């Protein structure tokens, strides 16, 4: 039996090598990595964001200016959005369900204390894009959130935050958060 398996293996190897030398060589197709990947489009619904709708739209535009791997677009009528944005009287927070999906609350409590609405919107959308809080932190870090103080109005992600989002969406499919494990990120 050992001899039969050995000779069968040799015969298979000979046939494989013969097929490689007998056929005509063909050029390999160009690698897909040579062409840029299309951005993953995520839709957002800001219809429930009340007086913060323009700040939400600006926060989404800032992410679109800052990264290539993902694009945030307003949801079309009759479609279901990846991201819902709501206004409430509490503190701003994000409830991601999967990468690129979830609910953002633009809380009036922080706005009433003097925090910038566009920075809040951009920061909370950053959570939906997979970024954690980085507290305490400087104003140059969008994800430092409220620890940068009310005088900080910077709504732009820094180079590390941009790179992390690019890595999160660079050809990677969203992973589902296990049931009952949705993370609430309160800023």
């Amino acid at each position: 039996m050992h001899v039969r398996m050995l000779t069968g293996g040799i015969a298979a190897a000979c046939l494989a090598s013969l097929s490689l030398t007998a056929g005509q060589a063909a050029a390999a197709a160009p690698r897909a990595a040579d062409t840029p990947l299309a951005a993953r489009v995520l839709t957002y619904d800001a219809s429930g964001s009340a007086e913060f709708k323009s700040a939400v739209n600006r926060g989404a535009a800032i992410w679109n200016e800052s990264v290539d791997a993902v694009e945030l677009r307003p949801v079309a009528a009759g479609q279901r959005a990846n991201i819902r944005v709501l206004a409430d009287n509490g503190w701003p927070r994000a409830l991601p369900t999967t990468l690129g999906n979830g609910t953002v609350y633009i809380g009036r409590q922080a706005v009433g204390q003097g925090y910038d609405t566009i920075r809040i919107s951009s920061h909370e959308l950053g959570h939906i894009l997979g970024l954690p809080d980085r507290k305490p932190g400087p104003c140059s870090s969008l994800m430092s959130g409220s620890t940068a103080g009310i005088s900080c109005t910077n709504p732009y992600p820094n180079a590390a935050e941009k790179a992390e989002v690019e890595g999160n969406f660079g050809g990677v499919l969203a992973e589902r958060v296990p049931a009952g494990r949705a993370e609430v990120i309160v800023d």
Side-chain angles (χ1 to χ4, degrees):
M1 181 157 142
H2 178 65
V3 173
R4 190 179 308 149
M5 287 177 52
L6 180 62
T7 56
I10 291 172
C14 289
L15 284 174
S17 62
L18 188 59
S19 67
L20 290 175
T21 58
Q24 193 175 30
R31 281 180 12 106
D34 297 339
T35 56
L37 294 172
R40 179 166 170 199
V41 175
L42 301 175
T43 57
Y44 67 94
D45 180 358
S47 64
S49 62
E51 69 269 28
F52 307 118
K53 188 171 184 176
S54 65
V56 172
N57 289 334
R58 183 65 192 128
I62 287 168
W63 277 109
N64 291 341
E65 295 164 15
S66 300
V67 296
D68 296 321
V70 67
E71 180 182 347
L72 300 173
R73 289 186 194 161
V75 69
Q79 286 185 328
R80 185 172 180 201
N82 298 96
I83 307 163
R84 284 184 2 159
V85 185
L86 305 170
D88 74 359
N89 293 327
W91 194 257
R93 60 204 177 278
L95 299 144
T97 53
T98 62
L99 181 62
N101 296 282
T103 303
V104 165
Y105 292 89
I106 308 297
R108 293 183 182 98
Q109 184 178 357
V111 175
Q113 291 179 17
Y115 289 97
D116 183 72
T117 58
I118 297 172
R119 179 173 167 87
I120 292 169
S121 297
S122 188
H123 173 93
E124 297 305 336
L125 288 169
H127 287 310
I128 301 297
L129 299 178
L131 299 178
D133 281 321
R134 298 219 163 76
K135 297 180 179 184
C139 184
S140 60
S141 169
L142 174 63
M143 300 315 291
S144 68
S146 62
T147 63
I150 60 171
S151 63
C152 178
T153 59
N154 170 36
Y156 291 91
N158 64 27
E161 293 162 340
K162 291 176 193 179
E164 190 171 345
V165 170
E166 294 286 9
N168 289 346
F169 288 92
V172 177
L173 295 175
E175 293 180 35
R176 178 153 301 280
V177 174
R181 298 274 322 262
E183 182 179 1
V184 177
I185 301 172
V186 179
D187 296 305

